[in-house]
Amino acid sequence: MNNAIRSIKGTHDILPEDSKKWQQLESTIRKITHQFGYEEIRTPIFEKTGLFSRSVGEDTDIVSKEMYSWEDRDGSSLTLRPELTAPVVRSYIQNSLGGKSPLHRLFYIGPLFRRERPQKGRQRQFHQCGVEAFGSPHPEQDTEVITLAYSLLSQLGLTNLNLKLNSIGSPECRLDYRNALQDYLRPILNELSETSQKRFESNPLRILDTKAPHEIDIIKNAPSITDFLSDEDQAHFNLVQSFLNQLDIPFTCDPTMVRGLDYYTRTTFEITSPTLGAQDALLGGGRYDKLVETLGGKATPAIGFAAGMERILLALEVEDSFESHDSTDIYIVCLDDSGLSVSIDLANQMRQAGKSVKLETLRRSMKAQMREANRSGATYAFILGENEIQNQTVVIKNLKEGNQEIVSTLNIENIINDLTI
Ligand code: HAM
């Protein structure tokens, strides 16, 4: 093993025992997005670097230090996608989706790449599921997206959820807020970290996103964005809150939540789970009414969210709410080489009838094959011994109930009809 090649730090294999959980998670995501009328979009894993710097923002952690970027042979700069909102917006513009229908509800599932320091719940390759709704500027669209996010987590069985809500207003009122924040921070500028001092001029709101404890303390007394919202922004935010109350979705307002990406306007939200430790955000999202225009499209309001799938699975493990479904129906035990062609035939016919079948391919002893049949979780073992092969029969043993019967292999229909799976 000494010279065996290992996976890259911060990346993980999803092994068969875990992939079942992933499939269940994905099928719940597909079920719920379908219930809300969202359709799947798949975009490439890599994009032009400028797509992310122009949307997520030059001063964000993601763009300034976490992207996997490289120079391609033609000199252009390419990047493994660190998030999916910008690629979906790019695709929306490039494929003129807005011209085809005034409203688009899209969802996605896929891998992303950020060069962060790996720890529990934080990887360098991770997966998100998310939605993006294009076309509606109204609070009922915000409510729909937030409700979808909340329903997804609760239908998966998570109960320990905190929904945090904020409005960061429109760019116009954010300008006044930016000035007020700079006025507050200017006298204590030298107490801030080097990164925050840089951000003071270029993008002071990013300072609110700091993780440094002493800066968090400083920010506690900073002016609040809530006091700078325009009447329209406030009315929009009020209506989102009242719709959520009407739907009995519990939330708290958190005026310091600015999110780590620059494209947001008005509503932002996060759902955290106290079971997760330091990396407690299960999902995050918000409205981004200017992004389509910024990336060269026709002005189009939009809102979405993305959830970290590894974190959802971690939280499900902690809350112990995963039900496992075993899927093998039949294990075929063959005790004599002369029965191999019959067993291959049987497996083939059962699969054509829609059953899931595992076939012994190691020619092991009867004991070992029966042990494997039980371990596989199969409902039935089909056992082909010397007698059965000679008599053109098979022993069908119900592994859950223990009873068994001998049936003819000449009438496959009868075998299929007798099975209770
Ligand atoms: P984000 O907050 O950067 O938002 O990421 C969303 C979620 O992805 C996080 O809440 C977290 O669960 C998961 N996540 C982020 N980084 C990692 C990591 N290194 N390892 C594991 N999980 C991680 C966005 O990406 C926006 N595009 C969301 C959005 C969609 N806003 C509007 N539409």
Side-chain angles (χ1 to χ4, degrees), residues 62 82-86 108 112 114 116 121-128 130-132 259-261 263-264 270-271 281-288 303-311:
I62 295 177
E83 64 102 53
L84 261 155
T85 307
Y108 48 78
L112 303 150
R114 294 185 192 175
E116 295 192 80
R122 192 162 72 189
Q123 300 178 195
R124 290 183 171 178
Q125 176 173 343
F126 61 100
H127 297 77
Q128 282 185 348
V131 309
E132 311 293 350
R259 308 261 309 117
L261 308 98
Y263 46 62
Y264 293 112
E270 270 181 14
I271 299 183
L282 286 165
L283 60 83
R287 196 164 258 295
Y288 49 94
I303 177 166
F305 78 86
M309 294 172 71
E310 283 81 2
R311 291 193 193 171

Side-chain angles (χ1 to χ4, degrees), residues 20-198:
K20 279 198 191 115
K21 295 179 182 170
W22 280 84
Q23 285 163 14
Q24 281 180 48
L25 174 57
E26 284 166 15
S27 84
T28 308
I29 293 162
R30 288 178 194 285
K31 188 182 96 191
I32 291 182
T33 47
H34 174 72
Q35 283 176 341
F36 280 79
Y38 284 69
E39 292 175 305
E40 186 172 10
I41 181 163
R42 300 185 192 195
T43 63
I45 299 285
F46 60 108
E47 298 270 1
K48 288 186 182 150
T49 303
L51 174 64
F52 302 108
S53 42
R54 268 169 69 186
S55 56
V56 175
E58 297 275 8
D59 294 312
T60 58
D61 284 348
I62 295 177
V63 171
S64 66
K65 50 188 188 202
E66 294 170 2
M67 292 203 303
Y68 284 99
S69 303
W70 69 98
E71 193 185 290
D72 204 18
R73 289 182 188 193
D74 63 1
S76 56
S77 178
L78 305 180
T79 293
L80 291 181
R81 60 188 192 191
E83 64 102 53
L84 261 155
T85 307
V88 170
V89 170
R90 192 233 357 102
S91 173
Y92 176 88
I93 298 167
Q94 187 174 336
N95 296 293
S96 311
L97 296 187
K100 293 175 187 152
S101 156
L103 206 62
H104 278 271
R105 294 180 164 99
L106 306 171
F107 83 90
Y108 48 78
I109 298 175
L112 303 150
F113 309 85
R114 294 185 192 175
R115 201 180 191 291
E116 295 192 80
R117 199 168 46 77
Q119 63 180 89
K120 183 175 160 232
R122 192 162 72 189
Q123 300 178 195
R124 290 183 171 178
Q125 176 173 343
F126 61 100
H127 297 77
Q128 282 185 348
C129 59
V131 309
E132 311 293 350
F134 293 92
S136 168
H138 301 300
E140 51 273 32
Q141 188 64 65
D142 305 40
T143 310
E144 176 185 288
V145 167
I146 298 169
T147 310
L148 194 164
Y150 196 81
S151 309
L152 173 66
L153 299 180
S154 31
Q155 285 208 27
L156 281 164
L158 293 174
T159 51
N160 228 333
L161 300 173
N162 296 322
L163 168 61
K164 289 187 292 181
L165 205 61
N166 191 21
S167 174
I168 58 166
S170 40
E172 298 76 41
C173 70
R174 243 188 349 262
L175 211 60
D176 291 338
Y177 177 62
R178 179 192 159 106
N179 291 335
L181 191 60
Q182 280 179 324
D183 288 346
Y184 168 82
L185 292 170
R186 196 167 287 112
I188 44 171
L189 200 55
N190 54 5
E191 292 175 38
L192 299 181
S193 67
E194 207 181 307
T195 318
S196 293
Q197 290 193 20
K198 263 194 228 146

